[in-house]
Amino acid sequence: MKLTDRLYKIASFVTDGKRIADIGTDHGYIPVYLLKNNKIPFAILADINKGPLENARKEVRHNSLENKTDLRCGSGIEVLEKGEVDEIIIAGMGGILIADILEAKKEVAQNAEKLILQPMQAQEELRKYLLNNGYEIMEETLENEDFRIYEIMTAKYTGKNNTPEDEIYYEVGEKLLNNKNELFIEFINKKIRSNKAILDKLDGIESETISEKRREIEIKIKKLENLL
């Protein structure tokens, strides 16, 4: 079984020898890959929907991994008990939903040695939740797949307030600045183009609210340009 670039990058953040939970596991590709390659000893595969969970069960059976897995149907990390696993993967969901999942059973999220998160949208909302609720973002990376750039991050609860100096770091994680490769440049330029497109739509519309919105976007564009 060959993982896509996005799934492989997510899997690469799992620490060898750790018990994991894959929340929203879908077909269970990541835990099955890790188990087959002897990277981990045990995995909980969880999904809120029975259909995807049955797909994962077929994948587990096909690879004879029944004795190294536990499949659970339920909402988010509410299917887990504190200390059952070491690391938790939550990938392929919106950032707000991921934040809600972490909030729903805080004792599990806060006890994890590592959270591996890959939000599909609202990445800035997820960073804001993490940094303002005692989590430290340990690593961040970008992965390109099917003409889309995905943001992948790891976090750990420390209990400390990690509010950044500037709100631009909710949108662009500070850890991403450590690796200004071509993907980072493309990532920032896309954000600049997107914000300029919004400015174009506001052109010719005059009101106090619109003027304030225009100023905010112009400031954001300048901050994004400075990151390059």
Side-chain angles (χ1 to χ4, degrees):
M1 179 182 60
K2 189 177 187 305
L3 296 181
T4 65
D5 290 341
R6 176 179 67 93
L7 296 183
Y8 182 78
K9 182 64 74 172
I10 293 166
S12 73
F13 281 112
V14 173
T15 308
D16 286 359
K18 299 296 184 178
R19 301 164 300 162
I20 72 159
D22 185 25
I23 305 302
T25 195
D26 197 15
H27 284 74
Y29 291 146
I30 291 175
V32 167
Y33 165 82
L34 293 168
L35 288 163
K36 278 185 66 179
N37 287 276
N38 297 313
K39 299 284 188 181
I40 60 171
F42 173 75
I44 294 173
L45 289 69
D47 206 288
I48 195 170
N49 296 310
K50 291 182 179 179
L53 200 62
E54 283 307 307
N55 292 332
R57 196 181 306 279
K58 290 175 185 176
E59 195 70 27
V60 165
R61 287 173 177 164
H62 177 72
N63 289 280
S64 303
L65 294 170
E66 292 94 333
N67 63 332
K68 294 183 178 181
T69 56
D70 189 3
L71 282 77
R72 301 179 185 178
C73 189
S75 178
I77 60 174
E78 292 181 53
V79 300
L80 303 177
E81 296 301 324
K82 179 179 175 181
E84 270 194 298
V85 295
D86 306 302
E87 301 182 357
I88 300 172
I89 300 170
I90 310 176
M93 306 178 198
I96 294 173
L97 177 56
I98 293 175
D100 288 344
I101 286 171
L102 298 176
E103 183 70 13
K105 202 165 185 181
K106 289 190 283 190
E107 67 270 23
V108 170
Q110 293 176 0
N111 187 68
E113 295 177 14
K114 184 191 289 185
L115 302 172
I116 302 167
L117 311 173
Q118 187 268 297
M120 299 295 282
Q121 61 269 334
Q123 293 87 350
E124 67 278 9
E125 294 301 325
L126 178 56
R127 287 192 189 92
K128 188 176 293 186
Y129 171 81
L130 292 170
L131 296 174
N132 293 328
N133 285 276
Y135 292 90
E136 180 180 350
I137 296 175
M138 313 300 290
E139 300 172 277
E140 285 201 61
T141 192
L142 301 170
E143 185 57 56
N144 193 12
E145 183 179 290
D146 295 333
F147 307 103
R148 179 172 178 175
I149 296 176
Y150 294 93
E151 299 168 62
I152 305 165
M153 64 189 77
T154 68
K156 178 179 174 60
Y157 183 76
T158 63
K160 299 176 182 177
N161 188 306
N162 293 292
T163 303
E165 292 182 2
D166 195 301
E167 289 201 351
I168 195 65
Y169 297 117
Y170 288 133
E171 185 158 347
V172 181
E174 289 186 82
K175 297 293 183 180
L176 289 176
L177 295 174
N178 297 332
N179 184 21
K180 289 187 177 181
N181 56 18
E182 290 183 6
L183 208 55
F184 178 83
I185 294 168
E186 182 184 349
F187 173 70
I188 297 297
N189 280 328
K190 278 186 175 182
K191 287 184 174 292
I192 291 171
R193 289 195 298 271
S194 176
N195 280 280
K196 285 183 176 179
I198 296 172
L199 276 184
D200 289 342
K201 290 180 181 179
L202 298 178
D203 191 40
I205 305 173
E206 296 301 332
S207 75
E208 187 175 338
T209 303
I210 294 298
S211 295
E212 180 60 28
K213 180 69 172 176
R214 190 180 290 115
R215 282 192 295 271
E216 289 175 2
I217 295 172
E218 288 170 347
I219 290 169
K220 182 189 287 189
I221 290 171
K222 187 64 177 176
K223 288 179 178 179
L224 288 168
E225 289 172 342
N226 288 339
L227 293 179
L228 294 173

